[in-house]
Structure formats: C-alpha cells, structure tokens
C-alpha cells in the first residue's frame, strides 16, 4: 500500500510524532515552521501514513524562488521510522504539489560520514543542503567526569579557569533574549555574517517550546555581564545549538587595567552541554563546521572551539526531487543569487561554512 501524506492542523499531535520517531529533527517541529512565517514563507505539515499508521511526519516550507516558481523545502526532514521509506515519499509528494512547485529539497536527518553518503536514494538526487551539512555531535550519555575527560586538554584547563574566575552559566527562555541578542548581533557584525529580523528568533523561542519541543537560551556571565551565549532548539533526544556568539569584556579590571580573559566561551559550551544533559537530551549538535578549513576565516576559529569538546564529525546531506523540467535552470540561478549575496555581504563568493 502506498504512503499517504495527510495534512494535519493539530500542533501538539504533530509534534508528538516528530518527537518519538528515530529519524527526526527539531527543525521539523511545529515551532520552527511558525518562525519561518516571519520570513514570508508558508509551512504545511503532513503525517506520513502506511496502512493507517503514522510512520513519519513532514513539514514543507513553501518559498518563492522567482515569480511563478516555488520551492518545497523540508528543513532537516522528513521525519521517518526508517530511511527505507524515503523513495516512497516521492510519489506522495507529487500528488500534493501545486502547479507552481518546481522543486522539492529535503535534508533527511540521518548522520553519515562522507564515504557513506549515496548520490541517489530512489528518485532523490544529491544536492547542496540549506542547513549546515557538516557538524560535530557529542553523545551526552555517561557521567560528567567522562564528558570532561573527552575534552581537549586546553578546553579542560579553560573550564577550570572559568570556574576560578567565577563565570556563571544560566539557561532560560524569553527573559534572557535581550542579553543573547546583544551577543549575537555583535558577533554577526564582527564576522560579517547575516541575520534574520529579531521577530524570527523571538517567534522560534516562543513557538519552539509551545507544542512538545523545546527552545531555550544559555548564557555565560562574568561579573554580571553576559559574554557568550547561544540559542537552542530541541526535539526528542537531540538539542541543536543554532545561533550564538561571544563578545570581549571591555570593562576595566579591578585594578583599573585590562580585564583578564575569564574564558566565557569555553564556559558557555561546557555549561550548555551539562544543561542539555540535565534536560534529558542524549545528543548535543554543535550545528555547523566548515566544509573546507581555512585559517583566515572566522569559521575556522569556531571549528577549532567546537572540536575541542570531543564528539564525532558527521554530514547531513541534502537531496532534491525535480517537479518541473525547468528546475535545473532554477537551481543554477539560486546558486548564482547566493554567490552574489556572499560577495555583497563579505566580499567573497564562498559560503560561510
């Protein structure tokens, strides 16, 4: 019996399926789709049913590419009980697609190493993902002492130094947003990165925790000032560090001279891992490391910091399904537009990661 895509309007029932299936992601959660509305994009949610049983879920974000042509995008999706079902989703998608839908892009959340990534899965063909393909994930199981022992020796020293300096790590919700936003915007300006309007992040923080998922902020403060922090979106057993950064403490020290480095970024990462473990998550996704290492780029320093916390380097590949004979031209046009945007913002045609 073929798979069916059944539209669903019940946010809590939808998120229940997303949270319990093994191949899943918080970006397929209801709250992430609501945040995308702030960008002028429209989410549609489906349950994948086989003989009346929910065997998956799919959140498709409809994005206007050019007049008359839309993209259906499943961020880190679809959610599945088995990757073996992925080829069977294509005919079901063709039935629900509109006339203007020219292409479907998916990012099935099954982590792989490069040599194990297939170029095709049934009718799906390998393509560039929108979310970072390369990341580091840490298994939070076991004792805290084992996690600490897995850190690079420099990271362990900095964790201890931050403790001696009195760095405090806190987590919470909207009450921490303004402190996060100060750090996030300063980091983006320093590294010449882009950002969405503030309403996008506020909506994700509110809606991401409203229907069965989790969205929260972690900050590292020293002397009452937040110096590093991040935004997390979680579902099921995995939490994802989506946005964040750090700022320099430019306040004078107690003796009037330059203030010593309190190692707040290291304290933030370590504290966020312990906070995630306390929340019951088993996997910590650092969310994005560079495809190619370049010591001259901001992303290289971020990569080195994340690598210091142990974990496994994995890929989350993207795949596409053509719905129109013009889709190859559209894909090339999108790549050109992205390159021009990179040139305008940072003076380089290359992507951030």
């Amino acid at each position: 019996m073929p798979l069916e895509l059944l539209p669903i309007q019940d946010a809590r029932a939808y998120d229940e399926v997303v949270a319990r299936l093994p191949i899943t992601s918080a970006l397929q959660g209801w709250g992430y789709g609501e945040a995308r509305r702030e960008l002028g994009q429209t989410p549609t949610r489906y349950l994948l049913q086989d003989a009346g049983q929910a065997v998956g879920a799919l959140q498709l974000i409809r994005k206007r590419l050019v007049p008359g042509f839309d993209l259906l995008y499943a961020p880190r999706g679809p959610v599945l009980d088995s990757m073996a079902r992925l080829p069977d989703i294509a005919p079901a998608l063709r039935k629900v697609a509109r006339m203007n839908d020219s292409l479907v892009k998916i990012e099935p959340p099954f982590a792989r190493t490069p040599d194990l990534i297939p170029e095709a899965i049934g009718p799906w063909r390998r393509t560039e993902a929108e979310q970072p393909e390369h990341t580091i994930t840490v298994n939070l199981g076991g004792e805290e002492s084992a996690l600490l022992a897995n850190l690079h020796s420099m990271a362990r020293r900095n964790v201890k130094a931050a403790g001696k300096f009195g760095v405090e790590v806190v987590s919470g919700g909207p009450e921490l947003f303004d402190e996060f936003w100060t750090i996030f915007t300063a980091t983006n300006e320093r590294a010449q990165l882009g950002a969405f309007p503030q309403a996008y992040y506020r909506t994700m923080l509110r809606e991401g925790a409203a229907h069965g998922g989790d969205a929260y902020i972690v900050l590292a403060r020293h002397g009452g000032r937040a110096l590093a922090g991040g935004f997390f979106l979680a579902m099921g057993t995995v939490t994802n560090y989506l946005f964040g950064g750090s700022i320099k403490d430019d306040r004078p020290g107690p003796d009037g001279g330059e203030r010593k480095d309190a190692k707040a970024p290291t304290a933030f990462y370590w504290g966020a891992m312990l906070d995630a473990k306390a929340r019951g998550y088993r996997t910590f996704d650092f969310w994005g490391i560079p495809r190619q290492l370049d010591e001259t780029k901001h992303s290289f320093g971020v990569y080195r910091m994340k690598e210091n916390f142990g974990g496994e380097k994995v890929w989350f590949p993207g795949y596409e399904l053509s719905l129109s004979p013009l889709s190859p031209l559209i894909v090339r046009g999108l790549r050109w537009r992205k390159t021009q945007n990179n040139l305008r913002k940072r003076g380089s045609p290359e992507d951030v990661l």
Side-chain angles (χ1 to χ4, degrees):
M1 189 172 182
L3 284 180
E4 294 182 277
L5 288 178
L6 300 181
I8 181 170
Q9 304 297 327
D10 186 330
R12 191 158 291 276
Y14 172 82
D15 270 3
E16 187 277 327
V17 175
V18 175
R20 70 173 170 82
L21 290 180
I23 302 171
T24 190
S25 169
L27 272 66
Q28 281 290 290
W30 195 279
Y32 186 82
E34 292 307 296
R36 284 279 182 158
R37 289 188 192 276
E38 298 291 340
L39 307 180
Q41 302 167 10
T42 305
T44 305
R45 292 89 171 189
Y46 301 90
L47 292 184
L48 278 62
Q49 291 205 335
D50 183 2
Q53 297 295 316
V55 296
L58 179 63
Q59 177 166 246
L60 288 173
I61 309 295
R62 180 169 276 105
K63 303 168 61 175
R64 176 55 48 90
L65 300 177
V66 294
F69 295 93
D70 291 347
L71 167 70
L72 296 178
Y73 169 49
R76 284 280 177 97
V79 174
L80 295 169
D81 65 344
S82 168
M83 278 295 294
R85 296 189 186 276
L86 191 57
D88 298 330
I89 296 175
L93 274 169
R94 293 185 185 278
K95 291 181 180 180
V96 301
R98 299 176 183 175
M99 289 290 293
N100 286 355
D101 297 332
S102 60
L103 188 71
V104 184
K105 179 179 283 191
I106 63 173
E107 298 163 342
F110 70 117
R112 290 292 185 270
T113 53
D115 56 317
L116 295 178
I117 297 176
E119 285 299 309
I121 303 177
W124 299 97
R125 295 296 179 266
R126 183 79 166 88
T127 190
E128 181 180 347
E130 292 201 16
Q131 301 302 324
E133 290 193 0
H134 305 67
T135 187
I136 295 175
T137 61
V138 173
N139 185 338
L140 298 175
E143 299 297 325
E144 179 180 327
S145 58
L147 285 177
L148 185 63
N150 197 41
L151 269 56
H152 187 279
S153 58
M154 180 180 296
R156 288 198 300 272
R157 288 196 299 270
N158 288 344
V159 165
K160 293 176 183 177
K164 291 179 180 178
F165 279 115
V167 176
E168 177 193 22
V169 178
V170 297
S171 68
E175 74 280 2
L176 302 181
F177 185 85
D178 289 342
E179 290 176 282
F180 158 76
W181 189 250
T182 297
I183 294 169
F184 183 53
T185 53
T187 301
N188 287 339
E189 291 170 3
R190 184 175 70 243
Q192 295 181 297
L193 304 174
F196 294 123
Q198 189 179 122
Y200 171 76
Y201 306 93
R202 287 192 180 276
T203 300
M204 194 184 304
L205 185 60
R206 181 184 69 249
E207 295 295 322
H211 312 291
D214 196 8
Y216 60 95
I217 289 169
V218 178
L219 299 174
R221 296 183 181 133
H222 183 237
R225 183 182 183 188
L227 300 177
F231 185 116
F232 293 80
L233 190 66
M235 182 72 75
T237 63
V238 181
T239 189
N240 306 281
Y241 168 47
L242 297 188
F243 319 106
S246 63
I247 58 175
K248 184 178 180 180
D249 194 346
D250 53 7
R251 297 172 295 177
D255 59 357
E258 186 174 350
R259 184 178 289 260
K260 290 183 178 180
D261 181 4
K263 310 301 181 185
T266 301
F268 156 69
Y269 280 119
W270 176 242
M273 288 170 60
L274 295 184
D275 179 78
K277 184 177 175 62
R279 290 171 180 261
Y281 300 116
R282 297 199 294 269
T283 301
F284 188 102
D285 189 337
F286 276 95
W287 204 261
I289 57 174
R291 293 185 180 92
Q292 296 180 337
L293 298 182
D294 184 341
E295 294 186 14
T296 66
K297 291 185 176 181
H298 165 80
S299 59
F300 183 80
V302 174
Y303 161 72
R304 283 300 189 206
M305 173 66 84
K306 293 177 179 180
E307 187 184 41
N308 283 343
F309 287 83
E312 178 187 12
K313 299 180 181 69
V314 294
W315 281 21
F316 288 92
Y319 290 89
E320 66 183 16
L321 175 72
S322 175
L323 300 177
S324 164
L326 296 178
S327 61
L329 292 175
I330 295 171
V331 170
R332 287 197 292 271
L334 291 174
R335 180 64 259 183
W336 179 86
R337 187 169 69 183
K338 192 173 184 180
T339 297
Q340 297 305 305
N341 189 46
N342 290 340
L343 285 169
R344 185 174 66 255
K345 288 183 177 178
R346 296 187 304 278
S348 169
E350 298 179 6
D351 295 338
V352 174
L353 295 175

